[in-house]
Amino acid sequence: MAEQPRLWIRHEVRASERRAPLVPQDARRLVELGFHLTVEESPQRVYPLDEYLAAGCQGAEAGSWTEAPEPAYVLGLKELPDLPEQLMHRHIFFGHAYKGQQGGRELLARFARGGGELLDLEYLVDDTGRRLAAFGYWAGYVGAALGVLQARGRLTAPLCPLSKGELDRRLRDSMRAGAPDALVIGALGRCGRGAVDALEVAGLAATCWDQEETRELDRAALLHHDLLVNTVLTSRPIPPFLRPADLPVADRRLSLVVDVTCDVTSDLNVLPVYRAVTDWSEPVRRLHQDPPLDLIAIDNLPSLLPAEASRAFSAELVAQLRTLADPAAPWRHCRADFRAACRRHELEAVHV
C-alpha cells in the first residue's frame, strides 16, 4: 500500500473559532486507512485533544505546525497568524485571498516566499463547480436566527456558542415578540436553505429570492421587507442588492441586514454599504440613523453551533482528504486557482 499523506490539524488563532475541520470520529477513519494525523492542543476547539488521541492521532502544542515535516498538509479553517513570513507547507483552509480581499496579496506572497501552497477550501469543487465541503447551511441557519432575535429584541451580547436545541428554543420563545417580514436572497442554495429553515423554526414564512428574482432586481420590494438575509456568494460581478443610495430612502422599511457571506472587502461584494464585519462581542452595528438600518455581518457564524457545524463539514471533507494523493482528484482545482491567483499578483508559486 502506498504511504498515505500526513495531516496536521492546527489550533485556530481566532479566540471565537470553536469549530474543527475534522471531528475525532472521522479522524479515526483516516488513521485506520494509514494516514498519520497530528492534532494540536486547542483550548477553545469543541472537541478536546483527548478525543483525537483516543482516535489514534498524535498530539502537539498549539502553533507547532511551523515545525511540522515539510510533506505535511496543515489543516485549519480560518486565518493564519501573521508569522512566519514564509510559508513552506501545503495549507488547507479558507484563505479568502483570491477576489481582492484585504490582505489577500500579502498572504499569497508568504506562500510564494516559502515555496508553500494554499489549497483553499472555498475552491474545492467538482467538475461542475459544486463545492464539496462547506459550512453554508449552518452559516445561513445561524445568521437568520440572529437576525430574528435582533428584530424581536431578544439578541444579547456577547454571543456564546450553544447547541441547535438551545438556539431553536430561543427562536420559539421569541415568537410573541413580533413577526418581521423577512427576505432571503439566495434561498435555493445550501446557505439559503439553512436561513429559511431557521426562519420556519421562528414561525416566519420568508420571501425567497434566487437567480430568477434577482436577474432584474425589484429594489422597492427589497426595501419593503423588515429583515434581509443575504446568502449569495458570487464569483462574477453582479449589480449590488443594496447600495449606499438606498440607505436614506425615507419610506424604507428595511431595518436589519444580515450578511451571511461577509464578502466585505472583495471586489464582488453584493452589499457595498459597509466596510467592516461585526463580531461576537458586538454583533450588531448601526449603518444608517434615519431611517435606522442595522447590520449583522459575522464571518464565522457556524462557530456559534460548533458541534453541529463541525460534524456536517467533517463528514464532507473526510471523503476528499482520502484523495489528497490523487492528482486527478478535485484538489487539482484548488491548486490551479492558487497558481492563477499568484500569477495575477505576479508572484511565483512553486511548491518545493
Side-chain angles (χ1 to χ4, degrees):
M1 178 185 298
E3 184 178 358
Q4 297 285 19
R6 176 186 293 264
L7 290 173
W8 192 289
I9 301 177
R10 61 176 170 86
H11 159 72
E12 298 287 338
V13 295
R14 187 187 298 204
S16 66
E17 188 50 69
R18 309 300 177 93
R19 292 171 292 175
L22 195 67
V23 303
Q25 179 182 354
D26 291 328
R28 181 185 297 277
R29 293 171 59 189
L30 293 179
V31 169
E32 291 172 348
L33 290 172
F35 281 71
H36 185 283
L37 268 69
T38 299
V39 181
E40 292 184 1
E41 176 67 73
S42 178
Q44 73 253 22
R45 186 189 298 126
V46 66
Y47 296 98
L49 180 59
D50 286 349
E51 294 188 24
Y52 290 96
L53 299 180
C57 304
Q58 292 188 354
E61 294 182 2
S64 57
W65 59 265
T66 56
E67 304 300 322
E70 278 193 22
Y73 291 83
V74 180
L75 176 60
L77 289 174
K78 301 300 284 187
E79 64 272 6
L80 292 169
D82 293 336
L83 297 175
E85 295 182 353
Q86 300 182 13
L87 297 170
M88 69 177 185
H89 294 97
R90 291 168 290 191
H91 282 257
I92 302 172
F93 71 109
F94 292 98
H96 304 301
Y98 297 169
K99 295 187 292 184
Q101 294 101 322
Q102 183 178 352
R105 189 187 189 283
E106 291 78 6
L107 176 63
L108 293 174
R110 292 171 66 189
F111 280 104
R113 286 194 295 268
E117 186 174 52
L118 169 59
L119 302 180
D120 194 315
L121 286 165
E122 185 178 333
Y123 299 86
L124 180 60
V125 298
D126 63 17
D127 290 339
T128 70
R130 181 181 66 89
R131 289 180 62 178
L132 296 174
F135 285 100
Y137 178 87
W138 292 110
Y141 197 98
V142 175
L146 297 183
V148 171
L149 293 174
Q150 171 65 15
R152 290 173 169 171
R154 300 297 179 86
L155 186 65
T156 58
L159 302 177
C160 297
L162 68 171
S163 68
K164 180 178 181 295
E166 173 62 18
L167 180 59
D168 288 352
R169 184 190 66 76
R170 296 184 187 184
L171 290 175
R172 295 188 181 101
D173 288 349
S174 73
M175 286 183 184
R176 293 186 297 274
D181 192 3
L183 168 64
V184 177
I185 302 184
L188 297 182
R190 70 169 104 189
C191 187
R193 292 196 303 272
V196 171
D197 286 351
L199 293 170
E200 288 181 354
V201 171
L204 301 176
T207 301
C208 297
W209 288 3
D210 209 84
Q211 291 186 20
E212 185 64 30
E213 293 81 7
T214 56
R215 189 168 289 114
E216 294 185 9
L217 187 70
D218 187 340
R219 195 168 301 278
L222 184 154
L223 297 177
H224 195 65
H225 289 81
D226 302 305
L227 166 63
L228 167 63
V229 182
N230 173 55
T231 69
V232 174
L233 183 67
T234 182
S235 58
R236 57 181 178 80
I238 62 174
F241 300 146
L242 193 64
R243 310 162 304 182
D246 299 320
L247 304 192
V249 172
D251 61 350
R252 168 174 54 76
R253 274 185 56 184
L254 183 67
S255 60
L256 178 60
V257 172
V258 178
D259 189 8
V260 176
T261 56
C262 293
D263 221 8
V264 57
T265 61
S266 165
D267 296 335
L268 304 179
N269 183 17
V270 297
L271 295 176
V273 293
Y274 72 102
R275 299 187 61 82
V277 297
T278 63
D279 56 33
W280 290 28
S281 60
E282 296 183 12
V284 185
R285 183 168 67 245
R286 180 60 53 92
L287 281 184
H288 194 79
Q289 191 62 42
D290 187 20
L293 179 63
D294 290 333
L295 169 75
I296 297 175
I298 299 170
D299 64 359
N300 66 336
L301 285 167
S303 194
L304 287 162
L305 291 181
E308 290 87 350
S310 295
R311 286 196 297 268
F313 183 80
S314 178
E316 295 178 341
L317 183 62
V318 68
Q320 305 307 320
L321 291 174
R322 293 178 60 172
T323 70
L324 268 173
D326 182 357
W331 297 101
R332 71 185 189 279
H333 300 300
C334 300
R335 294 186 173 94
D337 285 312
F338 169 66
R339 284 167 171 74
C342 288
R343 286 195 298 270
R344 287 195 298 273
H345 290 289
E346 299 181 347
L347 299 169
E348 183 178 0
V350 180
H351 180 65
V352 296

